[in-house]
Amino acid sequence: MPAILRLKVQIFKQVFNFTTFHSFCSSRINISTNPDPKTLNHLLNQRPPLFQLKQVHAQVITQSLSSNSTLVDSLIHCYLSTKSLTFARTLFDEHPNYPPSILLWNLMIRSYSKILNSREPVDLFRRLIGLEHDPLVVPDNYTFTFLITSCTHQKSGLHGIIIHGIVIKNGHLSNLYVGNSVINLYAVFGRLDDARKVFDEMPERDVFSWTSLLGGHAKQGEMERATEIAAMMPIRNMVSWAVIISGFIDCGRYIDALTCFHEMLRESHDSLKPNEAVLVCALSACANLEALDQGKWIHAYINKNGFTKMSNISTALIDMYSKCGIIRDAYRVFHSITQPDVCNYTSMISGFSDHGLGSNALRVFHQMIAQNVTPNELTLLGVLKGCSHSGLVEEGCFIFYKTDRYWNIEPKVEHYGCFVDLLGRAGHLKLALAIAIKMPLDADIVIWRALLSACRIYKYVNLADKILAYVEQGYFGHFNGNEVLISNLYASLSKWERVSDVRKSMSKREHKSSIGCSWIEVNGTIHEFRVDDQLHPQIGMLKDVLKSLISDEMFETEFHK
């Protein structure tokens, strides 16, 4: 059956209701029983919702108006506006004046470009460039901009590189928007030298050109280079600030992220207010630094400027207060949300779980289910963690074994890890070990660590030996930084020879741990310290105070002797 005929049948089966259609038309304009093309086009220009759009389409078919290219063009526009690509594509392929105008080609390519890993934009482009006999339908700057944007959503940048060559060949690279899309393409796929080359060769640049280049370096973790580019930018908009601040967050450089945030506020002088993304990043930095004063200041700023009703900001506030240890304020934020979504619920559940308040986490979880909000993987992970930390074995078992049936979520290795930890903490080590061995996924180091910790707590010598046998047989590779845990386990079991063996193994492999780092907030300022740190501007004074404290302690010790 031809595509256009299938479309007609589908429309008639699903949507054609003349009474409803006539009511829809009459509510807008006085028309006859059979509206003329002008009336139908007027209705289409109002961009009706999908069910009414199909009724208009049915009238086009019944009145044999499918050859009216103006009506068909309007139908395609409307279907694309309602994201009904199947209907739009069928009309496009069967267009009465084929090939359609370049405007319709561009609209189709743009609509498909928003779909991840879609090959349709490239396929449409191949058809387009095959129409060399028609000089009225040739790719233009919009075509290449939409097409290259679609290539950024592919798994590989190969198609984008090929199209870049066609762009150069056809002389479109001098267009600002085409050039920006090419820079963004190379930045997305980490080809920063190519992105910079295109940037340098552009006759004109705007803030988006700079931001794309900046974002490419930030995505690769090259924050020094990203900072240099940001400093050279003639003007920075909120997207630029969001890119560099989130780049610092992704690299774990939370102090730099907050410094950048305050620099943005000073530079803008209220002419450029932070958007949702920037505020979420700033709150994330406060959460990771446990910088409560900074977080409260940002919360006050949010309230003053009317951002509180945004879901992502509410979620970030809950997370910030939870990680700063003020779970009561986290719950106040949560309680103030009129209709919490899955992210709000998940953040609150995780906050209670991290504070060892498993019963509270379960209560919020049940409230979420009662409100018909479907949990996601992170929600279930948070509530399982709460059950584990609070010894709620029955509740945790029920949730774990119902994840697939009730919420259509297949447990991941992280869920198995929480469940094994729950059983291990409660003393059910044999069952926990059986699950770790028989689970359909490969148990990771977190699961084995949980088992070893439980063995140490309950001093289960025989079970510990079985687990360590898996270690020695290479069931999960090398010790992967867990030598200290294993050594302590042997020590708690008085197996001093095994302790010595592990220590020797550590020394042979030149075991190195990451440098310790800590933060402290004093009068709203974050101070960072690392092991043997000599870079703090007040390091001399700090050493003097430390020496004084040590001397006082020694004096007190001698005095009490």
Side-chain angles (χ1 to χ4, degrees):
M1 184 184 292
I4 191 66
L5 184 55
R6 288 199 303 271
L7 177 61
K8 291 180 181 179
V9 171
Q10 185 176 357
I11 289 174
F12 275 106
K13 282 185 176 180
Q14 295 182 1
V15 300
F16 183 58
N17 184 316
F18 183 77
T19 304
T20 306
F21 170 75
H22 191 269
S23 174
F24 159 64
C25 295
S26 301
S27 66
R28 287 161 172 75
I29 187 169
N30 293 325
I31 59 172
S32 61
T33 303
N34 295 316
D36 57 24
K38 183 177 180 180
T39 301
L40 292 172
N41 199 53
H42 174 72
L43 293 171
L44 290 172
N45 287 337
Q46 297 179 37
R47 294 295 185 265
L50 182 59
F51 78 96
Q52 292 174 339
L53 170 60
K54 289 181 178 179
Q55 292 167 4
V56 176
H57 191 177
Q59 283 291 310
V60 172
I61 294 172
T62 57
Q63 296 189 55
S64 301
L65 297 174
S66 298
S67 60
N68 187 315
S69 60
T70 302
L71 281 175
V72 173
D73 288 356
S74 295
L75 281 169
I76 293 174
H77 276 80
C78 289
Y79 277 129
L80 291 177
S81 68
T82 59
K83 300 181 181 179
S84 303
L85 269 68
T86 302
F87 286 120
R89 181 61 180 271
T90 302
L91 289 170
F92 178 86
D93 290 339
E94 303 290 341
H95 199 279
N97 290 340
Y98 195 86
S101 66
I102 190 62
L103 173 61
L104 286 180
W105 286 92
N106 290 342
L107 287 174
M108 291 300 302
I109 291 173
R110 183 182 68 175
S111 298
Y112 279 116
S113 71
K114 299 174 183 178
I115 301 176
L116 190 66
N117 296 327
S118 174
R119 295 180 57 88
E120 294 299 326
V122 174
D123 291 340
L124 283 169
F125 180 71
R126 285 172 177 161
R127 284 176 53 185
L128 177 59
I129 60 178
L131 302 172
E132 296 178 353
H133 62 279
D134 193 334
L136 298 179
V137 186
V138 294
D140 58 15
N141 291 329
Y142 293 104
T143 312
F144 288 111
T145 300
F146 301 146
L147 185 62
I148 295 171
T149 299
S150 75
C151 292
T152 62
H153 300 153
Q154 303 292 324
K155 294 180 180 178
S156 167
L158 179 60
H159 283 135
I161 296 170
I162 294 172
I163 293 166
H164 181 200
I166 299 174
V167 166
I168 295 173
K169 180 180 177 181
N170 288 273
H172 290 277
L173 193 58
S174 59
N175 180 268
L176 175 63
Y177 301 106
V178 175
N180 285 347
S181 63
V182 175
I183 293 172
N184 186 54
L185 169 78
Y186 285 123
V188 165
F189 289 102
R191 300 173 64 107
L192 300 180
D193 290 340
D194 292 326
R196 186 57 191 251
K197 183 177 180 182
V198 174
F199 177 86
D200 290 337
E201 293 176 353
M202 288 177 65
E204 179 187 4
R205 307 184 193 100
D206 63 5
V207 66
F208 299 103
S209 317
W210 287 92
T211 303
S212 294
L213 192 63
L214 169 67
H217 286 281
K219 183 181 177 182
Q220 297 299 316
E222 300 176 2
M223 294 310 300
E224 280 70 23
R225 185 66 184 127
T227 304
E228 292 174 5
I229 293 171
M232 292 187 292
M233 291 178 67
I235 185 172
R236 285 176 279 193
N237 62 10
M238 196 48 59
V239 176
S240 312
W241 286 108
V243 166
I244 192 166
I245 293 172
S246 64
F248 281 127
I249 295 290
D250 292 339
C251 292
R253 296 171 57 174
Y254 307 117
I255 293 179
D256 290 325
L258 282 179
T259 301
C260 194
F261 173 73
H262 289 292
E263 180 186 347
M264 178 205 70
L265 294 178
R266 288 193 300 270
E267 185 176 300
S268 62
H269 299 295
D270 293 331
S271 62
L272 191 66
K273 291 186 177 181
N275 60 16
E276 182 181 8
V278 170
L279 290 169
V280 168
C281 286
L283 288 170
S284 176
C286 293
N288 283 281
L289 292 170
E290 298 183 14
L292 181 60
D293 289 344
Q294 293 264 12
K296 285 184 174 180
W297 184 90
I298 295 173
H299 190 183
Y301 181 91
I302 288 169
N303 288 334
K304 181 180 178 181
N305 290 276
F307 289 100
T308 48
K309 293 184 179 181
M310 295 183 177
S311 173
N312 289 337
I313 290 180
S314 296
T315 300
L317 283 169
I318 295 169
D319 184 60
M320 184 272 294
Y321 280 119
S322 297
K323 289 182 177 177
C324 289
I326 315 298
I327 194 66
R328 184 175 296 176
D329 285 351
Y331 187 71
R332 284 199 186 104
V333 174
F334 174 78
H335 190 66
S336 68
I337 304 171
T338 306
Q339 290 183 322
D341 61 17
V342 63
C343 296
N344 304 143
Y345 276 113
T346 299
S347 185
M348 192 67 255
I349 289 169
S350 298
F352 278 133
S353 296
D354 290 339
H355 282 256
L357 302 171
S359 298
N360 298 69
L362 269 176
R363 178 172 54 81
V364 175
F365 179 73
H366 291 313
Q367 175 188 338
M368 175 184 184
I369 301 302
Q371 294 297 322
N372 294 319
V373 179
T374 304
N376 59 24
E377 294 179 359
L378 293 177
T379 315
L380 296 174
L381 194 62
V383 74
L384 284 172
K385 187 188 298 182
C387 292
S388 175
H389 291 176
S390 301
L392 302 172
V393 179
E394 291 185 8
E395 295 85 344
C397 288
F398 177 82
I399 291 171
F400 179 81
Y401 286 115
K402 300 300 181 183
T403 55
D404 190 13
R405 178 181 173 186
Y406 282 11
W407 304 295
N408 197 29
I409 296 175
E410 186 175 349
K412 301 291 190 299
V413 67
E414 294 84 3
H415 300 98
Y416 277 100
C418 279
F419 189 50
V420 168
D421 187 52
L422 166 67
L423 296 173
R425 285 172 183 259
H428 304 295
L429 273 84
K430 291 184 179 179
L431 178 58
L433 179 59
I435 290 172
I437 294 173
K438 295 178 181 179
M439 59 186 280
L441 305 168
D442 292 333
D444 64 2
I445 191 63
V446 176
I447 292 177
W448 296 114
R449 187 189 297 130
L451 284 168
L452 291 172
S453 296
C455 287
R456 183 186 178 192
I457 293 171
Y458 290 96
K459 299 190 184 301
Y460 279 20
V461 179
N462 294 332
L463 192 59
D465 282 337
K466 288 183 180 180
I467 296 171
L468 292 169
Y470 271 77
V471 176
E472 292 167 354
Q473 293 170 20
Y475 274 72
F476 63 100
H478 296 294
F479 289 124
N480 294 327
N482 290 275
E483 295 93 337
V484 175
L485 172 63
I486 296 170
S487 174
N488 291 342
L489 175 62
Y490 279 135
S492 69
L493 301 173
S494 299
K495 295 193 173 187
W496 305 112
E497 291 183 2
R498 306 297 287 276
V499 172
S500 177
D501 291 341
V502 173
R503 297 289 180 179
K504 288 177 181 178
S505 175
M506 292 170 59
S507 61
K508 285 180 181 178
R509 295 198 299 109
E510 297 182 355
H511 175 76
K512 294 181 180 179
S513 59
S514 56
I515 297 176
C517 178
S518 60
W519 298 279
I520 186 171
E521 183 181 23
V522 180
N523 296 327
T525 302
I526 309 297
H527 299 267
E528 180 182 52
F529 297 94
R530 295 184 181 274
V531 174
D532 198 27
D533 190 358
Q534 302 295 324
L535 299 178
H536 193 278
Q538 295 172 291
I539 190 64
M541 184 175 67
L542 291 171
K543 285 184 175 181
D544 291 340
V545 172
L546 182 61
K547 287 178 182 178
S548 174
L549 291 173
I550 293 173
S551 299
D552 290 344
E553 183 180 352
M554 292 176 64
F555 173 78
E556 290 290 333
T557 302
E558 292 296 325
F559 178 79
H560 287 294
K561 283 182 179 180

